[in-house]
Amino acid sequence: MTEETPVAAETQESIAEALAKGKLKRVRRILRDLSAAETAELLEQLDEDQQQIVWDQIGDVEEPAILELLDPALAERLQVNSDDNQLEALLDSEDETDISPIAIVREALEAGRFKRALKVFALLHPSQAAGLLESLPPGERSSIWSRLDSARAGQILVHLREEVAASLALEMSDAELLEAARQLDLDDLVDLIQALPFGPGRQLLLSMDVKKRQQLADMLSYPEDSAGGLMNIDHISVRADVKVGSVLRYLRLLEDLPDHTDKLMVVDRENRYQGVLRLSRLVTSMADELVRDVMDAEFKPLDVLMSSQEVARQFEDLDMLSAAVVSEDGVLLGRITVDDVMDSIRDDSERAIMGMAGLDDEADMFAPILTSTRRRSVWLGCNLITAFLAASVIGQFQGALEQIVALAVLMPVVASMGGIAGSQTLTLVIRGLALGQVDTGNLRVLLGKELGIGTLNGVLWALLVAAVAIIWFGDLGIGWVIGLAILINLVCAVLAGLLIPLILRRFGIDPALAGSMVLMAVTDVVGFSSFLGLATLFLI
């Protein structure tokens, strides 16, 4: 290496000062202005700890040229901390006792081995990388995010939950966000704009060229949970009056086909949907045949305003890989592919599961404590109201409880049995509503079936609990009172489990979000009032 120059000394001093203050972004800015030779010289002048930290700030693209100029022993030591083969073995292992990617990344960050952490993200699919990123606390998440290149960040961004995506996008400069967005398909770009706050989302939209901006504006005009919100415009369309040979020659001129292309869309001169030409049929047809003779005109398109749940049912029922999306007057607007539908199904499932606990499925698992507390307190407050309602019912029978202690002992049994029976029916009906299997056409039959189940279960468990109560307390009256109360509560519970989701949906409330809370209030009130009321009438 050449003798240290004043410029190198000044750079070394700036690097040392930035490292002492923990300003790694400043370190990276300084390194970007250095040549490979200058960087190699700088590394050899730093102490061992500084060398490793600075090396971790150097991008993968610049690595090879710098390594060639370094002392072999130093180059080998710097690379030891990011052994790709070792990481691949750890990540591919199916042994549950092996260290997890989360642990690998966190240990690497704690040790300041940023390159090792970044290698883990490089080895994962973008959706897996997004899940790993969401599993990290905010500080470590930001540390990784600031080191990802824009192209990789864009691929990961669309797989993140909305709250996490918005917070990380706001950490990027306008230039970085625009560069990341350029790597995305239009439907992914729409998802990103919808996840961002209004200001950055609008800025990103305005930064696009006129054609792409118009396409995005058109796609953003449709509801997020509709076919228009799911569709992409990356399809290939042909006219019915052209020959198969012409279509094949056209396809050969393309560099690549859009993902999940199993069929071409057939349109007329006004771009109105006519049917589909399956690739399997295309490649087995004679070159001089017309598209209209080999296309499938019976394949139905999806209306642009069709709900995402109905789209998912269509894909499931018909085993589709892709489907055309048309406007009200039949103009071809785009297509939906199976990967978009799978994402929609997963989102709906997570929303239902989280909704049952009153949580937002798009919320950040590591959101600030005050933010999470505020969100959950709303749900706890609603639950407290129902608890006080049940307590007020118990308060009406205070005298009976004071005279017969056994009532206080057995009272929770009645409410618990009703709660379980109601939850079973509630879950069944919510699932049926999601799959389109429950509506007014079969409601009467379903009601009769559930009431029959509730009555039979009520009789069975009423007899059993009554027998236990009689043996336990030696009182025949206590036995038949609790037995009759359980029968009443189980019948009312299955009735409530059936009607509550239907009523909530009629008022535009998600049954998965509020159904269990309302059901619990009904079963508690009916259970306590029936048990204590019967005891007051016949035992006191």
Side-chain angles (χ1 to χ4, degrees), residues 371-383:
T371 302
S372 297
T373 301
R374 184 176 64 252
R375 288 170 177 162
R376 299 189 192 187
S377 65
V378 175
W379 180 257
L380 292 173
C382 294
N383 188 66

Side-chain angles (χ1 to χ4, degrees), residues 17-25:
E17 182 182 349
L19 290 175
K21 295 180 179 179
K23 296 182 177 180
L24 298 180
K25 284 189 175 181

Side-chain angles (χ1 to χ4, degrees), residues 41 44-45 70 91 104 106 129 132 142 144 151 217 250 253 313 321 332 363 371 377 389 425 432 455 464 539:
E41 180 181 351
E44 295 193 348
Q45 292 167 359
L70 287 175
L91 294 174
I104 295 174
R106 297 205 68 199
L132 177 56
S142 296
I144 287 290
Y250 169 70
L253 293 175
R313 280 196 290 272
L321 290 179
L332 179 64
T371 302
S377 65
L389 178 61
T425 304
T455 302
L464 180 60
L539 300 181

